[in-house]
């Protein structure tokens, strides 16, 4: 019987297509968010780049935005995460290799990052807007795939610490800053470009690195720049295929910092051995590992016994990149949610036109723009460290921002996923990856409590950092009554910080909010400013996203935040 002929037990009809294999027409689905320019479709990013000093890089940022939004680039992120790194202790002949194999998509993402100087540009081309430009590129690139940005960040952040030891910097810096990517497992002497990792924490201490038990024994002479052999373990070694690592180990003079290469100068493998790869919830495309050091050769960086102050130069920069990465995760979540709701209809209207959904989306957009504004302001401070106000501001505002922005990201990712609905939970959508990635930056490089304690440390060591912070925030005074009241109360609550550690989260929360509000009042759209102050600085609202009060303008907020694609 022909497929077009009605069954004998069915009533006859002239609509033969009723009996075709086609069951339905697919409609009311959004187009894929791809082949769009991440810079040109992000008004807040354009304004921040211009405002904070990257005007001369506008053409470069537009070009990079087009690359980041290309379908082929976006696909690299999916493929890198669909194929987890694998680890081989030995080659097929029995030689110890400690080699991690990555999918080619991971290497291509790394190549894009290194070709565009995301690991190097503020050091190799310092000047007006260098950190701002690099932050804007990193912000776009991290939206494509965040996990591989870990070795990019560590390579970037290593320079201030390595420069503490001039003879090591003379040997390594040019290769660290080379805008090239060489993933081969070869001695660094055979490579013109290298990557740098970091290995600080151990099983017994975690964030308390002063509890480290790894020992360093001098090969001959002692002290800065000299060779040592390290014996011990490291519980978290991210990106174990890096060419060298900054590590902490105990000497007779105390905890010290060392540069430990994968290979010895004679071309033999340095005896630090990867035990296994971590089985992580998120950050899938990047490998993290546990390692044992069995007499690994390393060179002391900085003064003996001053390991934490030496490596903290690197940690400060990695924490800044955590702010960029979490801000990027928020932006991509907003882009996905608003794009979906712009194209999807339900109950007789586009989702983005329905009041309750407008409220939720606009609230998510506020969080994203506030995070970006804060991050880019710190980028400008990093570009101007020769100015005392900017140095003091960066010192205090970095742990505050790392704490707040990274901690706000997980619930933000979930709410954006919920806006998309059931399809947002599927692994062929980017939202599950954003959700799994969302806690990573809040925990790595110092969790929330560690950031609060670092804030306290900054206040105790340099009390003038708080003056600089409040001076910066006060630039917005007089423009909004709610802000003025919030700032005044916060300053009053800092009159006595004898119990700061107990109250730290409350105080740091409000420090972040007052700085974000100040920046938005001074620089953003009035609708954004009004809604932010109404929801973040005034009590009476709910705890979840979607609590914009009556009188706010979600349409104007969403116009700034929604990518127009398709």
């Amino acid at each position: 019987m022909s497929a077009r002929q009605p069954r004998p037990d069915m009533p006859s009809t002239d609509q033969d297509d009723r009996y075709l294999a086609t069951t339905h027409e697919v409609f009311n689905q959004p187009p894929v968010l791809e082949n769009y320019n991440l810079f040109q479709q992000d008004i807040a990013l354009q304004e921040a780049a211009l405002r904070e000093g990257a005007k001369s890089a506008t053409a470069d940022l537009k070009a990079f935005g087009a690359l980041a939004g290309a379908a082929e680039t976006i696909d690299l992120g999916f493929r890198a995460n669909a194929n987890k790194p694998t680890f081989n202790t030995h080659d097929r002949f029995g030689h110890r290799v400690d080699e991690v194999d990555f999918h080619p998509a991971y290497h291509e993402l790394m190549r894009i990052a290194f070709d565009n100087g995301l690991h190097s540009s503020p050091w190799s081309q310092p000047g007006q807007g260098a950190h701002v430009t690099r932050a804007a590129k990193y912000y776009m690139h991290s939206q494509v795939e965040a996990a591989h940005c870990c070795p990019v960040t560590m390579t970037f952040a290593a320079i201030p610490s390595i420069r503490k030891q001039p003879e090591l910097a003379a040997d390594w810096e040019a290769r660290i800053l080379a805008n090239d990517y060489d993933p081969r497992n070869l001695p660094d002497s055979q490579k013109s470009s290298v990557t740098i990792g970091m290995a600080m924490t151990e099983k017994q201490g975690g964030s308390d690195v002063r509890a480290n038990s790894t020992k360093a024994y001098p090969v001959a002479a002692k002290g800065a720049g000299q060779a040592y052999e390290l014996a011990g373990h490291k519980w978290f070694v991210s990106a174990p295929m890096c060419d060298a690592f900054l590590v902490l180990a105990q000497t007779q003079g105390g905890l010290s910092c060392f540069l430990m290469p994968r290979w010895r100068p004679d071309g033999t493998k340095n005896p630090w051995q990867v035990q296994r790869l971590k089985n992580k919830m998120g950050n899938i495309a990047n490998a993290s590992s546990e390692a044992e050091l069995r007499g690994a050769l390393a060179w002391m960086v900085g003064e003996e016994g001053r390991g934490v102050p030496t490596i903290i130069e690197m940690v400060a920069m990695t924490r800044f990149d955590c702010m960029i990465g979490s801000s990027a995760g928020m932006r991509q979540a907003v882009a996905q949610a608003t794009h979906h709701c712009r194209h999807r209809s339900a109950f007789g209207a586009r989702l983005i036109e329905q009041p309750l959904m407008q409220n939720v989306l606009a609230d998510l957009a506020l969080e994203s723009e506030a995070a970006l504004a804060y991050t880019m302001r710190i980028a400008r401070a990093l570009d101007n460290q020769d100015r005392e106000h900017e140095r003091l501001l960066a010192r205090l505002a970095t742990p505050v921002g790392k704490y707040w922005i990274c901690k706000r990201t997980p619930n933000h990712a979930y709410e954006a996923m919920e806006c998309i609905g059931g399809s947002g939970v599927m692994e062929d959508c980017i939202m599950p990856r954003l959700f799994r990635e969302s806690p990573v930056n809040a925990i790595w490089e110092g969790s929330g409590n560690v950031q609060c304690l670092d804030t306290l440390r900054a206040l105790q060591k340099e009390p003038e950092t708080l003056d600089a912070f409040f001076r910066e925030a006060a630039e917005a005074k007089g423009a909004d009554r709610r802000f003025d009241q919030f700032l005044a109360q916060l300053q009053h609550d800092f009159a006595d910080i004898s119990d700061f550690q107990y109250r730290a989260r409350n105080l740091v929360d409000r420090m972040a909010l007052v700085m974000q509000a100040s920046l938005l009042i001074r620089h953003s759209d009035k609708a954004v400013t009004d809604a932010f102050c109404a929801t973040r600085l005034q009590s009476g609202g709910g705890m979840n996203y979607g609590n914009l009060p009556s009188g706010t303008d979600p349409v104007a907020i969403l116009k700034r935040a929604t990518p127009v694609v398709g």
Side-chain angles (χ1 to χ4, degrees), residues 345-364:
S345 296
F347 311 113
R350 294 287 177 95
L351 288 173
I352 204 168
E353 297 170 353
Q354 300 187 30
L356 184 53
M357 182 61 82
Q358 285 180 337
N359 197 320
V360 174
L361 291 172
D363 211 354
L364 292 170

Side-chain angles (χ1 to χ4, degrees), residues 208-347:
D208 183 9
V209 295
R210 295 189 186 278
N212 283 8
S213 62
T214 296
K215 299 291 195 298
Y217 303 94
V219 173
K222 301 178 181 180
Q226 299 302 318
Y228 285 71
E229 290 184 341
L230 310 185
H233 80 282
K234 294 297 172 183
W235 204 22
F236 280 91
V237 182
S238 281
M241 288 303 293
C242 286
D243 296 288
F245 301 83
L246 284 171
V247 302
L248 294 175
Q250 301 282 1
T251 67
Q252 289 184 337
L255 191 65
S256 303
C257 181
F258 296 87
L259 181 67
M260 180 184 72
R262 283 181 59 81
W263 297 80
R264 288 174 175 262
D266 63 4
T268 60
K269 189 182 180 303
N270 207 8
W272 72 272
Q273 298 175 350
V274 175
Q275 303 304 296
R276 63 173 179 171
L277 297 187
K278 297 286 193 180
N279 187 17
K280 298 176 292 184
M281 178 187 82
N283 206 251
I284 298 300
N286 175 48
S288 299
S289 66
E290 300 170 15
E292 292 185 354
L293 286 57
R294 304 174 182 273
L297 188 63
W299 284 263
M300 186 180 288
V301 181
E303 295 180 42
E304 184 174 5
R306 298 278 297 168
V308 171
T310 299
I311 206 168
I312 205 69
E313 299 273 351
M314 180 179 188
V315 173
M317 299 309 302
T318 60
R319 289 174 176 174
F320 172 64
D321 272 15
C322 286
M323 292 165 55
I324 307 174
S326 290
S327 298
M330 287 189 196
R331 171 54 193 165
Q332 183 58 209
V334 167
Q336 293 289 334
T338 55
H339 173 76
H340 175 89
C341 293
R342 177 173 171 264
H343 290 277
R344 179 92 166 158
S345 296
F347 311 113

